Amino acid sequence: DTAVSQTPKYLVTQMGNDKSIKCEQNLGHDTMYWYKQDSKKFLKIMFSYNNKELIINETVPNRFSPKSPDKAHLNLHINSLELGDSAVYFCASSQAHLAGGQETQYFGPGTRLLVL
Amino acid sequence: TQLLEQSPQFLSIQEGENLTVYCNSSSVFSSLQWYRQEPGEGPVLLVTVVTGGEVKKLKRLTFQFGDARKDSSLHITAAQPGDTGLYLCAGVPNAGKSTFGDGTTLTVKP
């Protein structure tokens, strides 16, 4: 069984469109994250949610809006897509929030977004 | 922002060779994690080191946390093609978010 799943795996779209990426975890974890991995493989956190509450909101354009309907799901909606949004987006989860602990993050397989 | 620099950025070696990857920072971390990411997949945790000077072994992989908890190294003995991937270190602070290093892409040729 897949622990952290994301859909879609690939997403090719035109500039200016609005798109959503979905993430689900069946590990019973309290915390979920969205990361962006650029073409240089640098992995940067965007958001984290703990029990449906926003904990971390990095300097991310307002066009990115996460939504957590329940603690097993964390979706990412992106408005007015730009060329620079092209990247691989990873969802992750952990039992508790990372800071100060030894929590293991479990990553999804990633969504490869290409904006044309 | 707590920066983690990894070196080398790229490493291509022959099967059977040994290698070491370094993860350095000017910041102190509560713990440090190493992940491996294979092409087309998400990162997978290999190990977490917590105590300064700690050494952990995972088969042919040896991880060490610096005494001051600012740096770490990953040593692979007798590398195999299956070790190919992107190796990421991540520093976990006492407060705030964890930070990932810029990655080391390892290619092991048969």
Side-chain angles (χ1 to χ4, degrees):
Chain A
D1 287 340
T2 304
V4 182
S5 59
Q6 294 178 230
T7 55
K9 186 164 186 178
Y10 298 95
L11 185 54
V12 181
T13 187
Q14 296 288 330
M15 214 166 44
N17 284 349
D18 303 338
K19 291 293 179 185
S20 292
I21 308 172
K22 295 185 176 182
C23 178
E24 177 181 2
Q25 54 96 1
N26 62 7
L27 298 167
H29 288 167
D30 288 340
T31 307
M32 296 184 72
Y33 311 82
W34 276 111
Y35 285 86
K36 179 180 180 180
Q37 187 172 48
D38 60 24
S39 58
K40 295 183 179 179
K41 306 298 183 184
F42 185 61
L43 197 62
K44 187 173 181 182
I45 193 166
M46 301 172 69
F47 304 100
S48 75
Y49 271 73
N50 189 44
N51 273 321
K52 303 192 297 176
E53 288 189 25
L54 182 65
I55 303 296
I56 291 175
N57 183 354
E58 282 298 287
T59 308
V60 176
N62 291 337
R63 300 181 293 103
F64 290 79
S65 53
K67 285 188 181 164
S68 183
D70 55 64
K71 72 174 190 179
H73 296 83
L74 180 61
N75 304 322
L76 184 65
H77 187 75
I78 315 170
N79 289 324
S80 303
L81 279 155
E82 300 178 357
L83 296 177
D85 297 333
S86 296
V88 183
Y89 292 83
F90 286 101
C91 176
S93 73
S94 62
Q95 180 57 50
H97 206 257
L98 275 181
Q102 302 172 36
E103 295 296 329
T104 299
Q105 291 184 86
Y106 294 84
F107 284 82
T111 295
R112 285 134 194 88
L113 172 64
L114 178 60
V115 182
L116 301 175
Chain B
T1 302
Q2 296 159 313
L3 296 176
L4 278 167
E5 294 183 350
Q6 290 184 234
S7 60
Q9 191 175 359
F10 297 95
L11 189 55
S12 180
I13 61 172
Q14 291 295 133
E15 183 176 1
E17 293 183 9
N18 302 332
L19 66 115
T20 302
V21 176
Y22 300 93
C23 174
N24 294 301
S25 175
S26 57
S27 302
V28 176
F29 293 104
S30 173
S31 64
L32 194 137
Q33 300 176 322
W34 283 94
Y35 289 80
R36 179 169 66 212
Q37 182 180 1
E38 296 187 9
E41 302 294 332
V44 176
L45 180 70
L46 295 174
V47 77
T48 301
V49 285
V50 180
T51 308
E54 181 178 5
V55 176
K56 279 192 174 179
K57 292 192 175 183
L58 185 66
K59 297 183 181 177
R60 295 175 293 100
L61 279 60
T62 302
F63 304 85
Q64 183 162 8
F65 202 9
D67 291 341
R69 290 186 286 126
K70 293 182 180 180
D71 53 81
S72 181
S73 63
L74 158 59
H75 182 79
I76 302 179
T77 304
Q80 298 177 2
D83 296 328
T84 292
L86 175 68
Y87 288 80
L88 296 162
C89 63
V92 184
N94 282 326
K97 66 187 188 301
S98 61
T99 303
F100 277 84
D102 45 6
T104 295
T105 300
L106 171 66
T107 303
V108 182
K109 301 174 186 175

